[in-house]
Amino acid sequence: MSRRILLLSDLIEVIERKMISVDKIECNTKFSGDITETDQIATEKFIDSIQFLNETIFKDSVDFFYEFTGENSIPIECGMKNMFMEEYYCVRCSICEGVSKKEVDAKLRETVFDRMDKKLAV
């Protein structure tokens, strides 16, 4: 399966509905050609941050990508870059027990139009 973009709101929903669990978050920051830092981010801090970002006008300013790399493994990536620095996050997630890979993929691929169709059908 190829790497796909996902909406921030869909990512938050699969985490809150316990479809996936966040196992590890790593942040790589590059300040110049010779200064690079790698830090671990606490799961709670990451979840709080993306929930906050989703409530701001900047929620669509950061692109999130996912790809299934195994039966239960989903790395999610995002990053920011400007002329002074580059910051890249790699979030290691796994599918929770009782949830299929197909269910997670369907939710992560859901668009605004899919949501509108569901509301119109009701």
Side-chain angles (χ1 to χ4, degrees):
M1 190 173 274
S2 64
R3 195 173 122 153
R4 297 184 162 276
I5 196 164
L6 71 136
L7 296 173
L8 178 59
S9 58
D10 289 340
L11 173 60
I12 292 168
E13 190 171 338
V14 296
I15 293 171
E16 288 177 347
R17 289 177 52 194
K18 302 210 184 306
M19 295 176 77
I20 65 171
S21 63
V22 178
D23 303 325
K24 180 180 176 182
I25 304 104
E26 189 173 274
C27 173
N28 294 307
T29 307
K30 184 176 182 179
F31 295 105
S32 66
D34 56 345
I35 302 173
T36 302
E37 291 180 2
T38 300
D39 295 315
Q40 300 295 320
I41 308 293
T43 303
E44 298 80 24
K45 184 176 179 182
F46 173 76
I47 294 171
D48 289 344
S49 295
I50 61 173
Q51 287 171 333
F52 176 73
L53 178 62
N54 193 45
E55 296 173 4
T56 69
I57 61 171
F58 302 108
K59 69 180 180 181
D60 296 324
S61 64
V62 179
D63 290 332
F64 290 82
F65 297 90
Y66 76 98
E67 180 178 18
F68 291 98
T69 57
E71 211 40 49
N72 291 325
S73 181
I74 310 169
I76 296 172
E77 302 171 347
C78 66
M80 297 164 278
K81 184 177 182 179
N82 63 36
M83 58 192 258
F84 302 108
M85 65 177 269
E86 183 176 327
E87 200 162 46
Y88 167 81
Y89 294 86
C90 184
V91 184
R92 303 279 176 211
C93 299
S94 54
I95 299 173
C96 294
E97 198 170 315
V99 180
S100 73
K101 182 177 172 180
K102 188 176 181 179
E103 290 173 308
V104 172
D105 191 39
K107 183 60 192 163
L108 292 178
R109 294 176 83 179
E110 189 176 70
T111 65
V112 173
F113 302 109
D114 296 326
R115 292 180 190 153
M116 288 173 53
D117 288 344
K118 287 178 187 177
K119 286 183 181 180
L120 292 174
V122 173

